[in-house]
Amino acid sequence: MRVGILGGGITGLTAAFYLLKAGAQVTVIEGRQQPGGLSTSFDFGPFRWDRFYHCILTSDKSLLTLLEDLGLSEEIHWTETKVGFFAEDRLYSMSSTRDFLKFPPLSLWQKFRLGLGILYASRIRNARRLESMPVAEWLIRVFGEDNYRKMWGPLLKAKLGACREEASAAFIWATIFRLFSTRDRKAGNKERLGYVQGGYQRVLSVLTERIVEMGGKILTGIPVEKVCALPDGDVECAIAAQKIRFDRVISTIPSGPFSSIVAGLPEEYGENLRRVKYLGVVCLALVLRRRLSPYYVTNLTDESLPFTGIIEMTNLISLGETRGYHLVYLPKYTAPNDPLFASSDEQIWNLFRAGLLKVFPDLKDSEIENRFVFRERWVQPLPVLHYSYLAPSMETGVKGVLLANTTQIINSTLNNNEMVRIGRQAADRALVREKRAEQDFPLSAKALQPVTEAAQISPISVAGS
Ligand SMILES: Cc1cc2nc3c(=O)[nH]c(=O)nc-3n(C[C@H](O)[C@H](O)[C@H](O)COP(=O)(O)OP(=O)(O)OC[C@H]3O[C@@H](n4cnc5c(N)ncnc54)[C@H](O)[C@@H]3O)c2cc1C
């Protein structure tokens, strides 16, 4: 079977890897010069590291399996990381139960409610019913008015900005659940996060090497311009001056560009793709000559700060990875039409610098070795009410064309574990369709179900193939 994969991010490359293991012929077509998408690396000057920050959780089963399949398990390094909180103009540690009990901005009663609420949220296994509740309403109900006003409200504003009004409770539950899943209860409830030595650059280079070794092709710097199903059952992709034919195509590109390049999408499916709202990210990365804090993530409850959080990467990764420099990311998640995307690097720096100095007033310009601004408009879906009914199915209704992208993350946060799972599921599905010989077109009601249910009707696993 000839499979074309649109997009060479982690989802596309994972699908390619498992399809090749199952014996398919695979061509990955990536629009940018370098594969990797949101996980790609960047030359920061003294060192190369991920363009956006990444950590691995002990509970990231699909990702850890991929790393094992690539022979990278031994290269994962685990670190006990610390969490900070900037509240009421001060930086506090929130890294252990003890820190939590000492946390001054909340009273004993508020802490008790907060702890109880987190425990309750971490025990919820099925978030479907949370999808029907607006996030603020749920947070007030579970944690109380005071905790909402002092903590959750500002955190939510930092994370989602104006979009928070539309989000469901499942969004915050997914964040709590994911972070709780990497805490080591035996060691005082401490957080343990991991990374592969060399970062995603190492993961992507081994992944692309294995794809090529197994006979796969990776074409870069060529955006796909048109996809259409031909009457003879092939799918044709138009790239530059060429047209390439496949038996199946898996598209891993964001839904907006996908709907504009694929011909013949059923109206209902196309309409659904347009209804999913994306969040983008503007991220300032700083290469520093000094450490800012001991925390990997610093949460912010100061609503005047222009960024969502502070991620001090070198509190997770060894300084050997960055030649002794300290790497800090300041992300701002926001709607793709936010004017921030059109601001110059200098304007963004001036805005973010003022915010950073509020948290670290002693930071001097001479301690900043370099700074970079990264912008991506189509990063993750906004988890609105009843999102799982909105999430597109993998079956697109165009014969032979499957969709596998971040909009299919349901009741979880944006992370590579989810994308590896979805990429592998798409590979399974392409193989299932091969075996089923085209029986379920036009689109059946079953095929239009969200991807979580879709998984149950594609039971073939390529793992052992
Ligand atoms: C700020 C930030 C922090 C993150 N932190 C973490 C973390 O701590 N842990 C974690 O696990 N994950 C994290 N992630 C998430 C992770 O980076 C993403 O889940 C993942 O990279 C998405 O992969 P993807 O392949 O689905 O999409 P993408 O990486 O977006 O890949 C899609 C690819 O399609 C290509 N493309 C688009 N249009 C075309 C076209 N017409 N033709 C050909 N190619 C095209 C794009 O160039 C891109 O390479 C983070 C992401 C961000 C932005």
Side-chain angles (χ1 to χ4, degrees):
M1 182 176 33
R2 301 158 302 164
V3 185
I5 295 181
L6 315 190
I10 196 82
T11 312
L13 295 175
T14 300
F17 175 72
Y18 286 112
L19 277 164
L20 283 156
K21 282 187 91 175
Q25 285 176 38
V26 180
T27 305
V28 178
I29 311 169
E30 165 56 45
R32 296 185 187 176
Q33 295 301 335
Q34 188 178 298
L38 296 174
S39 305
T40 205
S41 63
F42 181 78
D43 184 356
F44 285 93
F47 58 90
R48 238 191 134 80
W49 196 258
D50 304 358
R51 195 159 59 110
F52 296 111
Y53 49 93
H54 290 96
C55 63
I56 303 173
L57 271 59
T58 51
S59 52
D60 282 349
K61 286 208 177 79
S62 306
L63 178 59
L64 292 171
T65 304
L66 173 70
L67 295 177
E68 194 181 336
D69 292 344
L70 294 172
L72 289 171
S73 298
E74 298 295 307
E75 295 178 35
I76 305 174
H77 189 88
W78 295 101
T79 312
E80 210 173 81
T81 44
K82 293 193 167 72
V83 182
F85 243 91
F86 183 73
E88 297 176 350
D89 292 332
R90 275 200 58 195
L91 196 54
Y92 299 98
S93 179
M94 188 66 114
S95 312
S96 63
T97 313
R98 227 171 121 215
D99 289 341
F100 173 68
L101 290 172
K102 283 198 311 196
F103 189 59
L106 300 181
S107 71
L108 206 61
W109 166 245
Q110 286 159 359
K111 279 181 227 175
F112 176 71
R113 264 209 89 172
L114 184 65
L116 212 63
I118 289 179
L119 203 66
Y120 164 74
S122 70
R123 300 217 162 150
I124 297 175
R125 289 290 175 272
N126 183 356
R128 269 290 170 93
R129 68 192 172 83
L130 299 183
E131 283 192 355
S132 58
M133 205 179 289
V135 61
E137 197 181 309
W138 183 76
L139 285 170
I140 293 170
R141 194 183 286 183
V142 174
F143 297 96
E145 282 277 359
D146 290 341
N147 278 326
Y148 181 77
R149 188 173 34 81
K150 286 190 179 174
M151 249 182 108
W152 290 113
L155 282 176
L156 203 57
K157 193 168 175 203
K159 184 78 186 166
L160 294 179
C163 302
R164 68 193 182 284
E165 310 281 327
E166 296 172 70
S168 83
F171 164 73
I172 220 82
W173 167 83
T175 310
I176 297 173
F177 191 78
R178 182 164 161 79
L179 288 175
F180 216 75
S181 70
T182 201
R183 287 199 168 248
D184 189 344
R185 280 179 215 144
K186 284 187 213 124
N189 223 6
K190 290 190 180 138
E191 187 178 85
R192 235 160 55 101
L193 299 176
Y195 68 96
V196 173
Q197 286 160 30
Y200 265 91
Q201 186 190 2
R202 170 82 180 135
V203 178
L204 293 166
S205 91
V206 175
L207 189 51
T208 50
E209 266 169 35
R210 293 293 308 279
I211 288 172
V212 174
E213 269 167 27
M214 287 191 284
K217 287 190 195 137
I218 302 175
L219 312 177
T220 54
I222 329 178
V224 177
E225 287 154 13
K226 200 89 215 152
V227 176
C228 68
L230 301 175
D232 64 6
D234 279 2
V235 183
E236 188 179 75
C237 291
I239 52 167
Q242 279 186 68
K243 286 188 171 150
I244 316 185
R245 281 175 171 238
F246 299 104
D247 298 305
R248 299 276 174 276
V249 160
I250 299 174
S251 174
T252 70
I253 73 177
S255 296
F258 171 72
S259 62
S260 65
I261 62 170
V262 65
L265 267 189
E267 209 171 293
E268 189 186 347
Y269 192 87
E271 182 53 35
N272 235 16
L273 291 186
R274 284 185 286 277
R275 278 169 57 203
V276 172
K277 288 187 187 168
Y278 268 89
L279 280 174
V281 75
V282 173
C283 187
L284 174 76
L286 294 171
V287 178
L288 301 178
R289 295 208 183 92
R290 62 162 272 201
R291 191 188 205 194
L292 281 183
S293 77
Y295 312 118
Y296 172 59
V297 172
T298 298
N299 295 301
L300 311 169
T301 58
D302 181 332
E303 296 187 22
S304 70
L305 295 174
F307 35 80
T308 304
I310 302 171
I311 289 83
E312 194 160 350
M313 199 68 220
T314 29
N315 287 329
L316 164 62
I317 65 173
S318 142
L319 277 180
E321 301 280 0
T322 54
R323 302 218 170 162
Y325 288 94
H326 299 261
L327 177 60
V328 175
Y329 298 90
L330 305 177
K332 172 70 189 168
Y333 286 89
T334 188
N337 60 358
D338 188 322
L340 196 63
F341 281 97
S343 302
S344 68
D345 286 8
E346 231 26 52
Q347 285 168 326
I348 291 170
W349 165 236
N350 287 331
L351 181 70
F352 282 30
R353 180 177 178 273
L356 192 62
L357 286 175
K358 199 165 178 194
V359 188
F360 303 103
D362 59 339
L363 177 68
K364 297 182 192 68
D365 281 348
S366 60
E367 291 166 332
I368 302 169
E369 173 73 14
N370 222 332
R371 54 185 158 84
F372 305 90
V373 177
F374 305 117
R375 302 167 182 80
E376 287 287 346
R377 281 181 202 262
W378 317 106
V379 171
Q380 69 173 107
L382 179 65
V384 295
L385 294 175
H386 306 290
Y387 182 75
S388 58
Y389 293 95
L390 206 61
S393 62
M394 278 187 181
E395 300 287 352
T396 62
V398 178
K399 200 171 169 186
V401 180
L402 296 170
L403 180 71
N405 69 19
T406 59
T407 63
Q408 288 157 340
I409 296 177
I410 294 170
N411 296 333
S412 185
T413 59
L414 171 75
N415 62 73
N416 278 339
N417 184 58
E418 281 294 305
M419 295 324 296
V420 164
R421 185 182 63 74
I422 289 170
R424 194 165 179 176
Q425 199 175 305
D428 282 1
R429 223 175 155 76
L431 295 169
V432 168
R433 295 211 47 77
E434 165 77 346
K435 300 216 155 86
R436 265 205 253 148
E438 321 292 9
Q439 81 249 30
D440 60 6
F441 285 98
L443 211 58
S444 65
K446 212 174 189 184
L448 272 173
Q449 281 173 347
V451 74
T452 38
E453 274 97 332
Q456 290 156 19
I457 52 168
S458 63
I460 288 186
S461 170
V462 289
S465 323

